[in-house]
Amino acid sequence: MKVDVLLGLQWGDEGKGKVVDVLTSKYDIIARFQGGPNAGHTLEFDGIKHVLHTIPSGIFHKGVVNLIGNGVVIDPIIFQNEIIAIEKLDVTISELLISKKAHLILPTHKLIDAASEKAKGSKKIGSTLKGIGPTYMDKTGRNGLRVGDITSEAFREKYEKLKKKHIQILNFYDYKYDLLEIENKWFQSLETLKKFKHIESEHYLHNAIKENKKILAEGAQGSLLDIDFGSYPFVTSSNTITAGACTGLGVSPKNIGEVYGIFKAYCTRVGSGPFPTELFDDDGKKLAKVGNEFGATTGRPRRCGWIDIPALKYAIKINGVTQLMMMKADVLSGIRTIKACTHYTLEDKKIDYLPFDDNSMLKPIFKELKGWEMNLMKLTDLSNAPEELHNYITWLENVLEIKITIVSVGPDRKQTLFR
Ligand code: GDP
Ligand code: IMO
Ligand code: MG
């Protein structure tokens, strides 16, 4: 059995959490493969609205195993808060396993993130300030602490050593901080982390593959935030693409099956960085309002724009997408003319790719498509959808050369139309 991968094709917040939750009933294991609590994955079902940050989005399905893979970075305090929030919901949750090789976000990682952003001034990345960059820096710098270290006798010593290094880094910045309180909380929260089974998840997944278990790898962020292929330096610090599922879970490329590429029917971005199709007019305001475009982790308003075909094609290519899923189609209702960027102009030249730099100088060239009035949120079958929506879907399938298998028309689990 192959491992299917589900990931975002834009700048994150495409609706990955919702789709993972919808698809979980077809799977035995849901495995998150990268990122950390910079992610905010929203699920809505049975009148419950819930945001997950570290925990995979299959957690609300009984009998399914959820796994936090080695590629994920974990903040024990946020993890503990997530567990408490889930327990309060009074719903059955499934088993949760954690890779021993997942790295820990220390309180000082968060401080360095904040100090670094402050020092960058107007050139800041717009980080979620969850300590993601500094934690991955320590991982690749071979200094990090991992989940498997928590129970070792030398843990406190290792922690103090890394903290000392971090304090030296913090001294470099003009940044005031108070570590004691958050540090105490951090150590307390490790007790919650210890309650879960810590495993060598690569072996677990290999056995599961052998036993024909169905596995879905859940991505975080989006392809255009990928550390290698995103709009660097305005990116996150992990590989958000399909390849990240291999390294973030220990699954070989030959074991990858379907790759579900999730995209919004328009486009959003939270944080800094180029966004060629960004809107500053009434259409942009409408997308933000109707789409309720506020970050699920930080609450920051998301920048909104039209769909960007060259960027989507790029993401499809580097991910090897086999199926597309279009989210938030309902948000476009009532927009008379929908625009889709097919090319850019750069210094009077027409191009259809994202160049190495100067992405902020790109001017989008739009194709116009007729919109629809109908509210889609109550649709239960696409056969009753307006002709203009069918035309938009067919046009996208033609230019992207991949089939769209799901159209989402609302945040709830039930507002999901299969094709
Ligand atoms: P993720 O990070 O990719 O999981 O996405 P987020 O949860 O950060 O953001 C997606 C937002 O859109 C959440 O508030 C979802 O509840 C909401 N959402 C998901 N699908 C739809 C949809 O089809 N229509 C509408 N209106 N909202 C949706
Ligand atoms: P989900 O999984 C949207 C953005 C931040 C910032 C940049 C770097 O919910 O789609 P970081 O904290 O990683 O150092 O921030 O990446 N970013 C996200 N934007 N959705 C996310 O996750 C994001 N995670 C990080 O806004 O621009
Ligand atoms: Mg999100």
Side-chain angles (χ1 to χ4, degrees), residues 11-13 16 38-41 125-129 132 220-221 225 235-236 270-272 300:
W11 280 287
D13 302 330
K16 298 174 291 293
N38 46 350
H41 295 177
I125 308 296
S127 151
T128 59
L129 304 180
I132 305 299
Q221 290 78 54
L225 289 171
V235 293
T236 190
V270 60
S272 324
R300 292 178 292 176

Side-chain angles (χ1 to χ4, degrees), residues 13-18 40-42 44 296 302 327-328 330-331 408-411:
D13 302 330
E14 296 89 351
K16 298 174 291 293
K18 171 186 162 161
H41 295 177
T42 315
E44 285 196 35
R302 296 182 185 135
M327 311 301 291
K328 301 190 104 162
D330 54 295
V331 176
S408 175
V409 291

Side-chain angles (χ1 to χ4, degrees), residues 177-220:
Y177 59 88
D178 180 7
L179 187 56
L180 196 62
E181 196 183 328
I182 170 171
E183 196 175 41
N184 286 338
K185 223 174 172 182
W186 192 84
F187 275 99
Q188 278 164 18
S189 65
L190 288 179
E191 298 308 314
T192 303
L193 206 51
K194 281 181 193 164
K195 286 185 194 154
F196 291 83
K197 235 191 243 166
H198 303 168
I199 61 162
E200 300 198 33
S201 54
E202 61 279 29
H203 298 303
Y204 175 82
L205 289 175
H206 277 259
N207 286 337
I209 291 168
K210 259 193 185 163
E211 288 166 10
N212 278 330
K213 293 263 164 55
K214 293 205 75 187
I215 305 166
L216 179 65
E218 173 180 0

Side-chain angles (χ1 to χ4, degrees), residues 49 54 57-58 64 140 166 171 200 238 247 253 308 319 343 392 412:
K49 178 177 173 172
T54 324
S57 302
V64 171
T140 51
H166 288 168
N171 288 341
E200 300 198 33
S238 61
T247 56
D308 185 333
N319 283 306
H343 298 78
Y392 189 43
D412 195 89

Side-chain angles (χ1 to χ4, degrees), residues 5-8 12 14 16 31-41 53-56 67-74 99 102-103 105 132 136 139 217-223 225-227 235-250 319:
V5 181
L6 185 146
L7 43 74
E14 296 89 351
K16 298 174 291 293
R32 184 66 196 269
F33 61 85
Q34 47 66 236
N38 46 350
H41 295 177
H53 301 286
T54 324
I55 297 171
L67 171 72
I68 299 175
N70 57 280
V72 177
V73 291
I74 302 174
S99 166
H103 279 245
I105 301 175
I132 305 299
Y136 279 112
K139 175 178 178 174
E218 173 180 0
Q221 290 78 54
S223 304
L225 289 171
D226 181 89
I227 182 72
V235 293
T236 190
S237 298
S238 61
N239 281 117
T240 59
I241 58 172
T242 306
C246 294
T247 56
L249 294 173
N319 283 306

